[in-house]
Amino acid sequence: GESVGLHLPTLSVQEGDNSIINCAYSNSASDYFIWYKQESGKGPQFIIDIRSNMDKRQGQRVTVLLNKTVKHLSLQIAATQPGDSAVYFCAENIGGAQKLVFGQGTRLTINP
Amino acid sequence: GAVVSQHPSWVICKSGTSVKIECRSLDFQATTMFWYRQFPKQSLMLMATSNEGSKATYEQGVEKDKFLINHASLTLSTLTVTSAHPEDSSFYICSAREVSRTGPFQPQHFGDGTRLSIL
């Protein structure tokens, strides 16, 4: 079936470096995408979202890029901090259904 | 803003027991809430969509008689796991979308989950 997936299950970066987390999606009807951060034992926390009519959106230290041609989504985190260590999920909103389909998740580890 | 509270955060009970989990939107109204299940080191899987004042919509493979959902108000949805067994042990998470915003492009806000352990 259609799904949202991630290229890398784990990512380890040095504190202060930039991180890029990738996500592939396959549902061409998806019109809205969201990145969530999940810390151990907690629920997902909203980070940033982007509509399908956009290709880039920036927040505080985070940028989301959307490439609809290749159905690819990425999350860039600038100047990573220890508090950025978590599992990051991309999620796509299936247009008419208004449901979210989550990707597999990437564990981001920040090395001191 | 947009805080979702779940209770309890952790439950341990014997096999055959029914367990109720509450999901509340604290500072906004939500006509729609969602229930997810997450197994260790896995992603979130949608179980059902809870609609205020009407029956919940269950995803394929989710037993509606096993997982009873009630959404009696704009700020509260409950999930009852009936006659729970060890295979029902999991992390259950709810989410809600604000009703005050218009249009479909609204993020879901999540509670902190309920860890259910059935002995």
Side-chain angles (χ1 to χ4, degrees):
Chain A
E2 300 195 23
S3 64
V4 179
L6 291 172
H7 295 302
L8 296 173
T10 60
L11 179 63
S12 183
V13 299
Q14 292 296 122
E15 183 178 351
D17 286 353
N18 298 333
S19 302
I20 300 177
I21 301 172
N22 296 303
C23 177
Y25 67 95
S26 56
N27 193 327
S28 57
S30 296
D31 54 6
Y32 176 53
F33 303 86
I34 310 170
W35 280 100
Y36 286 97
K37 171 187 180 183
Q38 186 179 29
E39 297 176 309
S40 180
K42 295 187 176 182
Q45 176 186 357
F46 171 81
I47 300 175
I48 192 168
D49 56 2
I50 188 168
R51 293 173 56 173
S52 59
N53 61 354
M54 303 170 67
D55 53 21
K56 181 179 180 179
R57 191 163 188 225
Q58 288 184 294
Q60 186 176 12
R61 284 201 306 119
V62 294
T63 301
V64 55
L65 299 177
L66 175 63
N67 186 330
K68 294 181 289 295
T69 302
V70 295
K71 295 189 177 65
H72 184 268
L73 193 69
S74 69
L75 175 70
Q76 300 177 6
I77 305 174
T80 53
Q81 305 167 357
D84 294 330
S85 293
V87 177
Y88 290 81
F89 292 97
C90 62
E92 60 177 328
N93 183 80
I94 309 298
Q98 291 299 300
K99 300 190 298 186
L100 288 182
V101 174
F102 278 77
Q104 297 174 6
T106 293
R107 178 172 296 281
L108 177 65
T109 301
I110 310 302
N111 300 316
Chain B
V3 177
V4 175
S5 175
Q6 252 182 272
H7 179 79
S9 58
W10 189 40
V11 180
I12 300 177
C13 59
K14 294 181 179 180
S15 183
T17 305
S18 292
V19 179
K20 179 184 285 188
I21 303 170
E22 293 186 348
C23 179
R24 295 181 184 272
S25 55
L26 297 186
D27 50 3
F28 66 99
Q29 293 184 327
T31 54
T32 305
M33 292 184 173
F34 304 86
W35 288 96
Y36 296 81
R37 181 166 50 184
Q38 185 178 34
F39 292 105
K41 298 184 180 180
Q42 294 188 22
S43 188
L44 283 75
M45 295 298 296
L46 180 65
M47 297 175 65
T49 301
S50 171
N51 303 296
E52 188 268 333
S54 64
K55 292 183 178 180
T57 303
Y58 290 83
E59 294 301 300
Q60 190 174 7
V62 178
E63 301 175 56
K64 61 180 181 180
D65 294 330
K66 174 76 171 176
F67 300 99
L68 301 178
I69 292 172
N70 183 277
H71 192 160
S73 76
L74 286 173
T75 60
L76 173 65
S77 176
T78 62
L79 169 68
T80 300
V81 183
T82 62
S83 187
H85 292 285
E87 59 267 27
D88 298 322
S89 298
S90 188
F91 192 49
Y92 292 86
I93 312 173
C94 73
S95 71
R97 185 189 291 129
E98 292 185 58
V99 72
S100 60
R101 298 191 181 190
T102 58
F105 306 111
Q106 311 153 31
Q108 293 179 21
H109 300 284
F110 287 81
D112 270 342
T114 297
R115 186 159 303 283
L116 177 62
S117 296
I118 308 299
L119 304 178

Coordinates of all heavy atoms in Angstrom, one line a residue, chain B residues 3-93:
Chain B
V3 N -2.9 22.3 23.7 CA -2.4 21.3 24.6 C -3.4 20.1 24.7 O -4.6 20.3 24.8 CB -2.1 21.8 26.0 CG1 -1.7 20.7 26.9 CG2 -1.1 22.9 26.0
V4 N -2.9 18.9 24.5 CA -3.7 17.7 24.6 C -3.2 16.9 25.8 O -2.0 16.6 25.9 CB -3.6 16.9 23.3 CG1 -4.4 15.6 23.5 CG2 -4.2 17.7 22.1
S5 N -4.1 16.5 26.7 CA -3.7 15.8 27.9 C -4.3 14.4 27.8 O -5.5 14.2 27.4 CB -4.3 16.5 29.1 OG -4.1 15.8 30.3
Q6 N -3.5 13.4 28.2 CA -4.0 12.0 28.2 C -3.8 11.5 29.6 O -2.9 11.8 30.4 CB -3.1 11.1 27.3 CG -3.7 10.7 26.1 CD -2.9 9.8 25.2 OE1 -2.1 10.2 24.4 NE2 -3.0 8.5 25.5
H7 N -4.8 10.7 30.0 CA -4.8 10.1 31.3 C -5.4 8.7 31.3 O -6.4 8.5 30.7 CB -5.6 11.0 32.3 CG -5.6 10.4 33.7 ND1 -4.6 10.6 34.6 CD2 -6.5 9.7 34.4 CE1 -4.9 10.0 35.7 NE2 -6.1 9.5 35.6
P8 N -4.8 7.7 32.0 CA -3.5 7.8 32.7 C -2.3 7.7 31.8 O -2.5 7.4 30.6 CB -3.6 6.6 33.6 CG -4.3 5.6 32.8 CD -5.4 6.4 32.0
S9 N -1.2 8.0 32.3 CA 0.1 7.9 31.5 C 0.6 6.5 31.5 O 1.4 6.1 30.6 CB 1.1 8.9 32.0 OG 1.4 8.6 33.4
W10 N 0.2 5.7 32.5 CA 0.8 4.4 32.6 C -0.2 3.5 33.3 O -0.8 3.8 34.4 CB 2.1 4.5 33.4 CG 2.9 3.2 33.4 CD1 3.2 2.4 32.4 CD2 3.6 2.8 34.6 NE1 4.0 1.4 32.9 CE2 4.3 1.6 34.2 CE3 3.8 3.2 35.9 CZ2 5.1 0.9 35.0 CZ3 4.6 2.5 36.7 CH2 5.3 1.3 36.3
V11 N -0.5 2.3 32.7 CA -1.4 1.4 33.3 C -0.8 0.0 33.3 O -0.4 -0.5 32.2 CB -2.8 1.4 32.6 CG1 -3.7 0.4 33.2 CG2 -3.4 2.7 32.6
I12 N -0.9 -0.7 34.4 CA -0.6 -2.2 34.4 C -1.8 -2.9 35.0 O -2.3 -2.5 36.0 CB 0.6 -2.5 35.3 CG1 1.9 -1.7 34.8 CG2 0.9 -4.0 35.4 CD1 3.1 -1.9 35.7
C13 N -2.3 -3.9 34.3 CA -3.4 -4.6 34.8 C -3.4 -6.0 34.3 O -2.6 -6.4 33.5 CB -4.7 -3.9 34.3 SG -4.9 -3.8 32.5
K14 N -4.3 -6.8 34.9 CA -4.4 -8.2 34.6 C -5.1 -8.5 33.3 O -6.0 -7.7 32.9 CB -5.0 -9.0 35.8 CG -4.3 -9.0 37.1 CD -5.0 -9.7 38.1 CE -4.3 -9.7 39.5 NZ -5.0 -10.5 40.5
S15 N -4.8 -9.6 32.7 CA -5.5 -10.0 31.5 C -7.0 -10.2 31.7 O -7.4 -10.7 32.8 CB -4.9 -11.3 31.0 OG -5.5 -11.7 29.8
G16 N -7.8 -9.7 30.8 CA -9.2 -9.7 30.9 C -9.8 -8.5 31.5 O -11.1 -8.3 31.4
T17 N -9.0 -7.6 32.0 CA -9.5 -6.3 32.5 C -9.8 -5.3 31.3 O -9.2 -5.4 30.3 CB -8.4 -5.7 33.4 OG1 -8.1 -6.6 34.4 CG2 -8.9 -4.4 34.1
S18 N -10.8 -4.4 31.6 CA -11.0 -3.4 30.6 C -10.4 -2.1 31.1 O -10.4 -1.8 32.3 CB -12.5 -3.2 30.4 OG -13.1 -4.3 29.8
V19 N -9.8 -1.3 30.2 CA -9.0 -0.1 30.6 C -9.5 1.0 29.8 O -9.7 0.9 28.6 CB -7.5 -0.3 30.3 CG1 -6.8 0.9 30.6 CG2 -7.0 -1.5 31.0
K20 N -9.8 2.1 30.5 CA -10.3 3.3 29.8 C -9.2 4.4 29.8 O -8.6 4.7 30.8 CB -11.5 3.9 30.5 CG -12.0 5.2 29.8 CD -13.2 5.8 30.5 CE -14.5 5.1 30.3 NZ -15.6 5.8 30.8
I21 N -8.9 5.0 28.6 CA -7.9 6.1 28.5 C -8.7 7.3 28.1 O -9.5 7.3 27.1 CB -6.9 5.7 27.4 CG1 -6.2 4.4 27.8 CG2 -5.9 6.8 27.3 CD1 -5.3 3.8 26.7
E22 N -8.4 8.4 28.7 CA -9.0 9.7 28.4 C -8.1 10.6 27.6 O -6.9 10.7 27.9 CB -9.4 10.4 29.7 CG -10.5 9.8 30.4 CD -11.0 10.6 31.6 OE1 -10.3 11.6 31.9 OE2 -12.1 10.3 32.2
C23 N -8.6 11.4 26.7 CA -7.9 12.3 25.9 C -8.7 13.6 25.9 O -9.8 13.7 25.5 CB -7.8 11.8 24.4 SG -6.9 13.0 23.3
R24 N -8.0 14.7 26.4 CA -8.7 16.0 26.5 C -7.9 17.1 25.8 O -6.6 17.1 25.9 CB -8.8 16.4 28.0 CG -9.7 15.5 28.8 CD -9.7 16.0 30.3 NE -10.5 15.1 31.1 CZ -11.8 15.2 31.3 NH1 -12.5 16.1 30.6 NH2 -12.5 14.3 32.0
S25 N -8.6 17.9 25.1 CA -8.0 19.1 24.6 C -8.2 20.2 25.6 O -9.3 20.5 26.0 CB -8.6 19.5 23.2 OG -10.0 19.6 23.3
L26 N -7.1 20.8 26.1 CA -7.2 21.7 27.3 C -7.6 23.1 27.0 O -8.2 23.8 27.7 CB -5.9 21.6 28.1 CG -5.5 20.3 28.7 CD1 -4.3 20.4 29.6 CD2 -6.7 19.7 29.5
D27 N -7.1 23.6 25.8 CA -7.3 25.0 25.5 C -7.9 25.2 24.2 O -7.8 26.3 23.6 CB -6.0 25.8 25.7 CG -4.9 25.1 24.9 OD1 -5.1 24.1 24.3 OD2 -3.7 25.6 25.0
F28 N -8.5 24.2 23.6 CA -9.2 24.4 22.3 C -10.2 23.3 22.2 O -10.2 22.3 22.9 CB -8.2 24.3 21.2 CG -7.5 23.0 21.0 CD1 -8.0 22.1 20.0 CD2 -6.4 22.6 21.7 CE1 -7.4 20.9 19.8 CE2 -5.8 21.4 21.6 CZ -6.3 20.5 20.6
Q29 N -11.1 23.5 21.2 CA -12.2 22.6 20.9 C -11.8 21.7 19.8 O -11.2 22.2 18.8 CB -13.5 23.3 20.7 CG -14.0 24.0 21.9 CD -15.4 24.6 21.7 OE1 -15.7 25.1 20.5 NE2 -16.2 24.7 22.7
A30 N -12.1 20.5 19.8 CA -11.8 19.5 18.8 C -13.0 18.7 18.4 O -13.4 17.8 19.2 CB -10.6 18.6 19.3
T31 N -13.5 18.9 17.2 CA -14.5 18.0 16.7 C -14.0 16.6 16.3 O -14.8 15.7 16.3 CB -15.2 18.6 15.5 OG1 -14.2 18.9 14.5 CG2 -16.0 19.9 15.8
T32 N -12.7 16.6 16.0 CA -12.1 15.3 15.6 C -10.9 15.0 16.4 O -10.0 15.9 16.6 CB -11.8 15.3 14.1 OG1 -12.9 15.7 13.3 CG2 -11.3 14.0 13.7
M33 N -10.9 13.8 17.0 CA -9.7 13.3 17.7 C -9.3 12.0 17.1 O -10.1 11.3 16.4 CB -9.9 13.2 19.2 CG -10.2 14.5 19.9 SD -10.3 14.2 21.7 CE -10.4 15.9 22.3
F34 N -8.0 11.6 17.2 CA -7.5 10.4 16.6 C -6.8 9.6 17.7 O -6.2 10.1 18.6 CB -6.5 10.8 15.5 CG -7.0 11.7 14.4 CD1 -7.0 13.1 14.6 CD2 -7.5 11.2 13.3 CE1 -7.5 14.0 13.7 CE2 -8.1 12.0 12.3 CZ -8.1 13.4 12.5
W35 N -6.9 8.3 17.5 CA -6.3 7.4 18.4 C -5.2 6.5 17.6 O -5.6 6.0 16.6 CB -7.3 6.4 19.1 CG -8.1 7.2 20.1 CD1 -9.3 7.7 20.0 CD2 -7.7 7.4 21.5 NE1 -9.7 8.3 21.1 CE2 -8.8 8.1 22.1 CE3 -6.6 7.1 22.2 CZ2 -8.7 8.5 23.4 CZ3 -6.5 7.5 23.6 CH2 -7.6 8.2 24.1
Y36 N -4.0 6.5 18.1 CA -2.9 5.8 17.5 C -2.4 4.7 18.5 O -2.5 4.8 19.7 CB -1.8 6.7 17.2 CG -2.1 7.8 16.1 CD1 -2.8 8.9 16.5 CD2 -1.7 7.6 14.8 CE1 -3.0 9.9 15.5 CE2 -2.0 8.6 13.8 CZ -2.6 9.7 14.2 OH -2.9 10.7 13.3
R37 N -1.7 3.7 17.9 CA -1.0 2.8 18.7 C 0.4 2.7 18.2 O 0.7 2.8 17.0 CB -1.7 1.4 18.6 CG -1.0 0.3 19.4 CD -1.9 -0.9 19.5 NE -2.4 -1.4 18.2 CZ -3.3 -2.3 18.1 NH1 -3.7 -3.0 19.1 NH2 -3.7 -2.7 16.9
Q38 N 1.4 2.6 19.1 CA 2.8 2.6 18.7 C 3.5 1.5 19.5 O 3.5 1.5 20.7 CB 3.4 3.9 19.0 CG 4.9 4.0 18.6 CD 5.5 5.4 18.9 OE1 5.1 6.1 19.8 NE2 6.4 5.9 18.0
F39 N 4.0 0.5 18.8 CA 4.8 -0.5 19.4 C 6.3 -0.1 19.5 O 6.7 0.9 18.7 CB 4.7 -1.8 18.6 CG 3.3 -2.4 18.7 CD1 2.4 -2.4 17.6 CD2 2.9 -3.0 19.9 CE1 1.1 -2.9 17.7 CE2 1.6 -3.6 20.0 CZ 0.8 -3.5 18.9
P40 N 7.1 -0.7 20.3 CA 8.5 -0.2 20.5 C 9.3 -0.1 19.2 O 9.2 -1.0 18.4 CB 9.1 -1.3 21.5 CG 7.9 -1.8 22.2 CD 6.7 -1.8 21.3
K41 N 9.9 1.0 19.1 CA 10.8 1.3 17.9 C 10.0 1.2 16.6 O 10.6 1.0 15.5 CB 12.0 0.3 17.9 CG 12.9 0.4 19.1 CD 14.1 -0.6 19.0 CE 14.9 -0.4 20.3 NZ 16.1 -1.3 20.2
Q42 N 8.8 1.5 16.7 CA 8.0 1.5 15.4 C 7.3 2.9 15.3 O 7.3 3.7 16.3 CB 7.0 0.4 15.4 CG 7.6 -1.0 15.3 CD 6.6 -2.1 15.0 OE1 5.5 -1.8 14.6 NE2 6.9 -3.3 15.4
S43 N 6.6 3.1 14.2 CA 5.9 4.3 14.0 C 4.5 4.3 14.6 O 4.1 3.3 15.1 CB 5.9 4.6 12.5 OG 5.4 5.9 12.2
L44 N 3.9 5.4 14.4 CA 2.5 5.5 14.9 C 1.5 4.9 13.9 O 1.7 5.2 12.7 CB 2.1 6.9 15.2 CG 2.6 7.6 16.5 CD1 4.1 7.9 16.4 CD2 1.8 8.8 16.8
M45 N 0.6 4.1 14.3 CA -0.4 3.5 13.4 C -1.8 4.0 13.9 O -2.2 3.8 15.0 CB -0.3 2.0 13.5 CG 0.9 1.4 13.0 SD 1.2 1.8 11.2 CE -0.1 1.0 10.4
L46 N -2.5 4.6 12.9 CA -3.8 5.1 13.2 C -4.8 4.0 13.5 O -4.8 3.0 12.7 CB -4.3 6.0 12.1 CG -5.7 6.6 12.3 CD1 -5.7 7.6 13.4 CD2 -6.1 7.3 11.0
M47 N -5.5 4.1 14.6 CA -6.5 3.0 14.9 C -7.9 3.5 14.5 O -8.6 2.7 13.9 CB -6.5 2.8 16.4 CG -5.2 2.2 17.0 SD -5.3 2.1 18.8 CE -6.5 0.8 19.0
A48 N -8.2 4.7 14.9 CA -9.5 5.2 14.6 C -9.6 6.7 14.7 O -8.7 7.4 15.3 CB -10.5 4.6 15.6
T49 N -10.6 7.2 14.0 CA -10.9 8.7 14.1 C -12.2 8.9 14.9 O -13.2 8.2 14.6 CB -11.1 9.2 12.7 OG1 -9.9 9.0 11.9 CG2 -11.4 10.7 12.7
S50 N -12.1 9.7 15.9 CA -13.2 9.9 16.8 C -13.9 11.2 16.5 O -13.2 12.3 16.5 CB -12.6 10.0 18.3 OG -13.5 10.4 19.2
N51 N -15.1 11.1 16.2 CA -15.9 12.3 15.8 C -16.9 12.7 16.9 O -17.7 11.8 17.4 CB -16.6 12.0 14.5 CG -15.7 11.6 13.4 OD1 -14.9 12.4 13.0 ND2 -15.9 10.4 12.9
E52 N -16.9 13.9 17.3 CA -17.8 14.4 18.4 C -19.2 14.2 18.0 O -19.7 14.6 16.9 CB -17.5 15.9 18.7 CG -18.2 16.4 19.9 CD -19.6 17.0 19.5 OE1 -19.7 17.5 18.4 OE2 -20.4 17.1 20.4
G53 N -20.0 13.5 18.8 CA -21.4 13.3 18.6 C -21.8 12.2 17.6 O -22.9 12.1 17.3
S54 N -20.8 11.5 17.1 CA -21.1 10.4 16.2 C -20.2 9.2 16.4 O -19.3 9.3 17.2 CB -21.0 10.9 14.7 OG -19.7 11.3 14.4
K55 N -20.4 8.2 15.6 CA -19.6 7.0 15.8 C -18.2 7.2 15.2 O -18.0 7.9 14.3 CB -20.3 5.8 15.0 CG -21.6 5.4 15.7 CD -22.1 4.2 14.9 CE -23.4 3.7 15.5 NZ -24.0 2.5 14.8
A56 N -17.3 6.5 15.9 CA -15.9 6.6 15.4 C -15.7 5.8 14.1 O -16.5 4.9 13.8 CB -15.0 6.0 16.5
T57 N -14.7 6.2 13.4 CA -14.3 5.5 12.1 C -13.1 4.7 12.4 O -12.0 5.3 12.8 CB -14.1 6.5 11.0 OG1 -15.3 7.3 10.8 CG2 -13.8 5.8 9.7
Y58 N -13.1 3.4 12.2 CA -12.0 2.5 12.5 C -11.2 2.2 11.3 O -11.8 2.0 10.2 CB -12.5 1.3 13.2 CG -13.0 1.5 14.6 CD1 -14.3 1.9 14.8 CD2 -12.2 1.2 15.7 CE1 -14.8 2.1 16.1 CE2 -12.7 1.5 17.0 CZ -14.0 1.9 17.2 OH -14.5 2.1 18.4
E59 N -9.9 2.1 11.5 CA -9.0 1.7 10.4 C -9.2 0.1 10.1 O -9.6 -0.6 11.0 CB -7.6 2.0 10.7 CG -7.3 3.5 10.7 CD -7.7 4.2 9.4 OE1 -7.1 3.9 8.4 OE2 -8.5 5.1 9.5
Q60 N -8.8 -0.3 9.0 CA -8.9 -1.7 8.6 C -8.1 -2.5 9.6 O -6.9 -2.2 9.9 CB -8.4 -1.9 7.2 CG -8.7 -3.3 6.6 CD -8.4 -3.4 5.2 OE1 -7.8 -2.5 4.6 NE2 -8.7 -4.5 4.6
G61 N -8.7 -3.6 10.1 CA -8.0 -4.5 11.0 C -8.1 -4.1 12.4 O -7.7 -4.9 13.3
V62 N -8.8 -3.0 12.8 CA -9.0 -2.6 14.2 C -10.4 -3.0 14.6 O -11.3 -2.6 13.9 CB -8.7 -1.1 14.3 CG1 -9.0 -0.7 15.8 CG2 -7.3 -0.7 13.9
E63 N -10.5 -3.8 15.6 CA -11.8 -4.3 16.1 C -12.5 -3.2 16.9 O -12.1 -2.8 17.9 CB -11.6 -5.5 17.0 CG -10.9 -6.7 16.3 CD -10.6 -7.8 17.3 OE1 -11.6 -8.3 17.9 OE2 -9.4 -8.2 17.5
K64 N -13.6 -2.8 16.4 CA -14.4 -1.8 17.0 C -15.0 -2.2 18.3 O -15.2 -1.4 19.3 CB -15.5 -1.2 16.1 CG -16.5 -2.2 15.7 CD -17.6 -1.6 14.8 CE -18.6 -2.6 14.4 NZ -19.7 -1.9 13.5
D65 N -15.3 -3.5 18.5 CA -15.8 -4.0 19.7 C -14.7 -4.2 20.8 O -15.0 -4.3 22.0 CB -16.5 -5.3 19.5 CG -17.8 -5.2 18.6 OD1 -18.4 -4.1 18.7 OD2 -18.1 -6.1 17.9
K66 N -13.5 -4.2 20.3 CA -12.4 -4.4 21.2 C -11.9 -3.0 21.7 O -11.6 -2.9 22.9 CB -11.2 -5.1 20.5 CG -9.9 -5.2 21.2 CD -10.0 -6.2 22.2 CE -8.6 -6.5 22.8 NZ -8.6 -7.5 23.9
F67 N -11.9 -2.1 20.9 CA -11.5 -0.7 21.2 C -12.7 0.2 21.0 O -13.0 0.7 20.0 CB -10.3 -0.3 20.3 CG -9.1 -1.2 20.3 CD1 -8.9 -2.2 19.4 CD2 -8.2 -1.0 21.4 CE1 -7.8 -3.0 19.5 CE2 -7.1 -1.9 21.5 CZ -6.9 -2.9 20.5
L68 N -13.3 0.5 22.2 CA -14.5 1.3 22.2 C -14.1 2.8 22.3 O -13.4 3.2 23.2 CB -15.4 0.9 23.3 CG -15.9 -0.5 23.3 CD1 -16.8 -0.8 24.6 CD2 -16.7 -0.8 22.1
I69 N -14.7 3.6 21.4 CA -14.4 5.0 21.4 C -15.6 5.8 21.7 O -16.6 5.6 21.0 CB -13.7 5.4 20.1 CG1 -12.3 4.8 20.1 CG2 -13.6 7.0 20.0 CD1 -11.6 5.0 18.7
N70 N -15.5 6.8 22.6 CA -16.6 7.7 22.8 C -16.1 9.1 22.8 O -15.1 9.5 23.4 CB -17.2 7.4 24.2 CG -18.4 8.3 24.5 OD1 -18.3 9.4 24.9 ND2 -19.6 7.8 24.3
H71 N -16.8 10.0 22.0 CA -16.3 11.4 21.9 C -17.6 12.2 22.2 O -18.3 12.7 21.3 CB -15.8 11.6 20.5 CG -15.1 12.9 20.3 ND1 -14.3 13.1 19.2 CD2 -15.1 14.1 21.0 CE1 -13.8 14.3 19.3 NE2 -14.3 14.9 20.4
A72 N -17.8 12.4 23.5 CA -19.1 13.0 24.0 C -19.1 14.5 24.0 O -20.1 15.1 24.1 CB -19.4 12.4 25.4
S73 N -17.9 15.1 24.0 CA -17.9 16.6 24.0 C -16.7 17.1 23.1 O -16.0 16.3 22.6 CB -17.6 17.1 25.4 OG -16.3 16.9 25.8
L74 N -16.7 18.3 22.9 CA -15.6 18.9 22.0 C -14.3 18.9 22.7 O -13.3 19.3 22.0 CB -16.0 20.3 21.6 CG -17.2 20.5 20.6 CD1 -17.6 21.9 20.4 CD2 -16.8 19.8 19.3
T75 N -14.1 18.5 23.9 CA -12.8 18.4 24.5 C -12.4 17.1 25.1 O -11.4 17.0 25.7 CB -12.8 19.5 25.7 OG1 -13.8 19.2 26.6 CG2 -13.0 20.9 25.2
L76 N -13.3 16.1 24.9 CA -13.0 14.8 25.5 C -13.3 13.6 24.6 O -14.4 13.5 24.1 CB -13.7 14.6 26.8 CG -13.6 13.3 27.5 CD1 -12.2 13.0 28.0 CD2 -14.6 13.2 28.7
S77 N -12.4 12.7 24.4 CA -12.6 11.5 23.8 C -12.0 10.4 24.7 O -11.0 10.6 25.3 CB -11.9 11.4 22.4 OG -12.0 10.1 21.8
T78 N -12.7 9.2 24.7 CA -12.1 8.1 25.5 C -12.0 6.9 24.7 O -12.8 6.6 23.7 CB -13.0 7.8 26.7 OG1 -14.3 7.4 26.2 CG2 -13.2 9.0 27.6
L79 N -11.0 6.1 25.0 CA -10.7 4.8 24.3 C -10.7 3.8 25.4 O -10.0 3.9 26.4 CB -9.3 4.8 23.7 CG -8.8 3.5 23.2 CD1 -9.7 3.0 22.0 CD2 -7.3 3.6 22.8
T80 N -11.6 2.8 25.3 CA -11.7 1.7 26.2 C -11.2 0.4 25.5 O -11.8 0.0 24.5 CB -13.1 1.5 26.8 OG1 -13.5 2.7 27.4 CG2 -13.1 0.4 27.8
V81 N -10.2 -0.2 26.1 CA -9.7 -1.4 25.6 C -10.4 -2.5 26.4 O -10.2 -2.6 27.6 CB -8.1 -1.6 25.8 CG1 -7.6 -2.9 25.2 CG2 -7.4 -0.4 25.2
T82 N -11.3 -3.2 25.8 CA -12.1 -4.2 26.5 C -11.4 -5.6 26.6 O -10.7 -6.0 25.6 CB -13.5 -4.4 25.8 OG1 -13.3 -4.9 24.5 CG2 -14.2 -3.0 25.8
S83 N -11.5 -6.2 27.7 CA -11.0 -7.5 27.9 C -9.6 -7.6 27.4 O -9.3 -8.4 26.5 CB -11.9 -8.6 27.3 OG -11.4 -9.9 27.6
A84 N -8.7 -6.8 27.9 CA -7.4 -6.6 27.4 C -6.5 -7.9 27.6 O -6.7 -8.6 28.7 CB -6.7 -5.4 28.1
H85 N -5.7 -8.2 26.7 CA -4.8 -9.3 26.7 C -3.4 -8.9 26.5 O -3.1 -7.7 26.0 CB -5.2 -10.4 25.7 CG -6.5 -11.0 26.0 ND1 -6.7 -11.9 27.0 CD2 -7.8 -10.8 25.5 CE1 -7.9 -12.3 27.1 NE2 -8.6 -11.7 26.2
P86 N -2.4 -9.7 26.8 CA -1.0 -9.2 26.7 C -0.6 -8.7 25.3 O 0.2 -7.7 25.2 CB -0.2 -10.5 27.0 CG -1.0 -11.2 28.0 CD -2.5 -11.0 27.5
E87 N -1.2 -9.2 24.3 CA -0.9 -8.6 22.9 C -1.5 -7.2 22.7 O -1.1 -6.6 21.7 CB -1.5 -9.6 21.8 CG -3.0 -9.8 21.9 CD -3.4 -11.0 22.7 OE1 -2.6 -11.4 23.6 OE2 -4.4 -11.6 22.4
D88 N -2.3 -6.7 23.6 CA -2.8 -5.4 23.6 C -1.8 -4.4 24.2 O -2.0 -3.2 24.1 CB -4.2 -5.2 24.2 CG -5.2 -6.1 23.5 OD1 -5.2 -6.2 22.3 OD2 -6.1 -6.7 24.3
S89 N -0.8 -4.9 24.9 CA 0.2 -4.0 25.5 C 0.8 -3.2 24.4 O 1.3 -3.7 23.4 CB 1.2 -4.9 26.2 OG 0.6 -5.6 27.2
S90 N 0.8 -1.9 24.6 CA 1.4 -1.0 23.7 C 1.4 0.5 24.2 O 1.0 0.7 25.4 CB 0.5 -1.0 22.4 OG 1.1 -0.3 21.3
F91 N 1.8 1.4 23.4 CA 1.8 2.8 23.7 C 0.6 3.4 22.9 O 0.7 3.4 21.7 CB 3.1 3.5 23.4 CG 3.3 4.8 23.9 CD1 3.1 5.1 25.3 CD2 3.8 5.8 23.1 CE1 3.3 6.4 25.8 CE2 4.1 7.1 23.6 CZ 3.8 7.4 25.0
Y92 N -0.4 3.9 23.6 CA -1.6 4.5 22.9 C -1.5 6.0 23.0 O -1.3 6.6 24.1 CB -2.9 3.9 23.6 CG -3.1 2.5 23.4 CD1 -2.5 1.5 24.2 CD2 -3.8 2.0 22.3 CE1 -2.7 0.2 24.0 CE2 -4.0 0.7 22.0 CZ -3.4 -0.3 22.9 OH -3.6 -1.6 22.7
I93 N -1.7 6.6 21.9 CA -1.5 8.1 21.8 C -2.7 8.7 21.1 O -3.2 8.1 20.1 CB -0.3 8.5 21.0 CG1 1.0 7.7 21.5 CG2 0.0 10.0 21.1 CD1 2.2 7.9 20.6

